[in-house]
């Protein structure tokens, strides 16, 4: 019997569009023949058993999922793809190449690059991105006339690419630990454009950025090495006052842990806990090298964990304790971070497959659990807890993955979620809809005419 879910219409008038989904992921199972009614960019009705597309409906063939959430992004790192694969090295040598690219960006060139990167994300089924943004000022640290010119360029770029953004304005004040708990090294020349000098000055500047339905404004502590311990509470209080997301790179590298222990006699997670940074609106990025006590701290405070497996593998960071973190109470989300690839399906299966390699056992997460990390829990980490589901009241943010490509063809429709998570790639995304607006149609971006050309142009300009 068809199931109809149709609550009272929201302000804005009657249903304006219906999407007919040949197969839909409804959080626990694949449902065939679903009609999704949309008004004002919001889902207002979900009807199952609709075997024929209603007149005028937009037909989406494949498996339609809630739009994917890319919880952790550094848009300018996209310009490093392939360049940093020449030769060998460590995270720290990779960072030097990253600084060189960062030093060449202006508000205009960052807009061009980010617009192309966010368009690439839309083509990969991503409808919302968390941009961990610390490129605030001009080289040398001089403020632009508009002190948030770089952040506003990112917001505008996401708007033109058609995806939502949570701009995580990042406090980055120091180059690392010095001698003793109250001493931190001054930013080096490359880092001067990241720094506002103090957390109070950071908060004053960040308070000037305005958000809206398209762009939420959150905060980030770059890392415990980049924000002096005595100033961590300032960043946490700024986010708390605004009920905003707060993110932090946490224990990505053993060297950072060792330096924090030497300076403060405690791990980075304990340092953050002692200064009020952890909590349900906080997400730790990577959380790779944790002690058992660290895992308990994060889980008991419901601090989230964003895993970025492709970047963590690319930089030889290690495999984080995602299973233990989730069991302790830390919600998991996913990010493409340095954009070695932009493919949330790859990130989802990598989390499971890396854990299989580490433990030599299979089946740590179901396809449903991995999809939740890529959707609902990711959106919640970005300050949109209502998103990431196909239910009335949720944003009409959708992505449709082909079930007839060379990667996905063959499995029975009831196994479509498994086919998508464990076999599909970003290239299998056929449609992306944001707030009821068709951003990617039949694999083509509707707002950015030639995404590969836009990427090539923006990146080549930074390497001249």
């Amino acid at each position: 019997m068809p199931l109809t879910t149709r609550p009272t219409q929201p302000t804005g008038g009657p249903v304006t569009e219906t999407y007919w989904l040949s197969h839909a992921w409804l959080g626990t199972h694949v449902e065939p023949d679903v009609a999704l009614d949309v008004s004002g960019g919001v889902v207002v009705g979900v009807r199952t058993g609709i075997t024929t597309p209603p007149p005028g409906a937009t037909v989406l063939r494949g498996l339609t999922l809630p739009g994917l959430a890319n919880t952790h992004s550094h848009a300018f790192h996209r310009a490093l793809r392939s360049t940093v694969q020449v030769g060998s090295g460590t995270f720290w040598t990779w960072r030097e190449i990253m600084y060189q690219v960062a030093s060449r960006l202006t508000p205009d060139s960052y807009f061009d690059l980010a617009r192309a990167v966010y368009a690439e994300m839309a083509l990969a089924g991503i409808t919302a991105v968390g941009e961990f943004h610390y490129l605030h000022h001009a080289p040398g640290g001089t403020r632009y006339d508009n002190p948030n010119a770089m952040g506003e360029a990112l917001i505008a770029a996401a708007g033109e690419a058609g995806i939502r953004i949570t701009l995580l304005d990042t406090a980055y004040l120091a180059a690392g630990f010095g001698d003793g708990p109250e001493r931190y090294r001054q930013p080096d020349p490359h880092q001067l454009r990241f720094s506002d000098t103090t957390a109070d000055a950071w908060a004053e500047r960040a308070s000037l950025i305005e958000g809206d339905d398209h762009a939420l404004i959150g905060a980030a502590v770059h890392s415990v090495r980049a924000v002096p311990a005595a100033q961590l509470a300032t960043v946490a209080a700024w986010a708390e006052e605004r009920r905003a997301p707060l993110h932090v790179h946490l224990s990505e590298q053993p060297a950072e842990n060792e330096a924090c222990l030497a300076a403060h006699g405690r791990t980075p997670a304990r340092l953050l806990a002692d200064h009020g940074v952890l909590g349900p609106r906080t997400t730790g990025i990577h959380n790779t090298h944790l002690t058992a006590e660290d895992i308990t701290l994060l889980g008991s405070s419901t601090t989230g964990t964003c895993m970025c497996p492709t970047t963590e593998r690319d930089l030889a960071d290690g495999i984080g304790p995602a299973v233990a973190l989730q069991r302790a109470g830390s919600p998991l989300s996913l990010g493409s971070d340095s954009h070695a690839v932009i493919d949330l399906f790859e990130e989802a299966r990598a989390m499971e497959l890396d854990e299989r390699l580490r433990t030599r056992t299979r089946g740590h997460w179901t396809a449903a659990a991995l999809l939740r990390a890529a959707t609902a829990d990711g959106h919640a980490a970005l300050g949109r807890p209502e998103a990431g589901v196909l239910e009335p009241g949720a944003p009409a943010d959708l992505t449709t993955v082909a079930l007839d490509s060379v990667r996905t063809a063959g499995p029975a429709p009831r196994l479509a979620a498994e086919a998508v998570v464990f076999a599909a790639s970003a290239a299998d995304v056929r449609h992306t809809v944001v707030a009821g607006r068709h951003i990617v149609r039949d694999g083509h971006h509707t707002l950015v005419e030639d995404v590969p050309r836009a990427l090539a142009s923006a990146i080549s300009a930074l390497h001249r």
Side-chain angles (χ1 to χ4, degrees), residues 100-116:
Q100 294 172 22
V101 171
S103 69
R104 302 182 186 120
L105 285 161
T106 67
D108 287 342
S109 63
Y110 205 6
F111 168 82
D112 291 340
L113 176 60
R115 175 177 175 267

Side-chain angles (χ1 to χ4, degrees), residues 122-171:
L123 287 168
I126 293 163
T127 58
V129 61
E131 185 60 40
F132 200 102
H133 167 57
Y134 54 82
L135 257 173
H136 302 306
H137 310 300
T142 302
R143 287 199 170 202
Y144 292 105
D145 291 340
N146 173 1
N148 288 304
M150 295 293 270
E152 290 178 6
L154 291 166
I155 291 172
E160 291 214 4
I163 70 172
R164 303 180 194 270
I165 185 172
T166 297
L167 187 75
L168 298 157
D169 197 280
T170 303

Side-chain angles (χ1 to χ4, degrees), residues 352-445:
E352 165 67 22
L353 299 180
D354 286 355
E355 191 67 18
R356 291 183 187 184
L357 282 175
R358 191 180 70 82
T359 62
R360 291 182 291 177
T361 60
R362 304 176 77 237
H364 303 278
W365 292 279
T366 63
L370 294 171
L371 284 174
R372 181 176 178 85
T375 56
D377 285 344
H379 289 290
L382 297 180
R384 299 184 190 274
E386 72 284 0
V389 291
L390 300 183
E391 296 176 0
D397 297 353
L398 323 170
T399 184
T400 303
V401 185
L403 296 178
D404 58 357
S405 77
V406 293
R407 287 166 291 276
T408 59
R414 64 183 176 81
L415 298 176
E418 285 76 11
V420 166
V421 170
F422 289 102
S425 77
D428 296 312
V429 171
R430 291 293 175 265
H431 304 281
T432 302
V433 174
V434 181
R437 183 186 187 190
H438 224 130
I439 303 302
V440 173
R441 187 187 297 270
D442 296 320
H444 298 284
H445 204 289

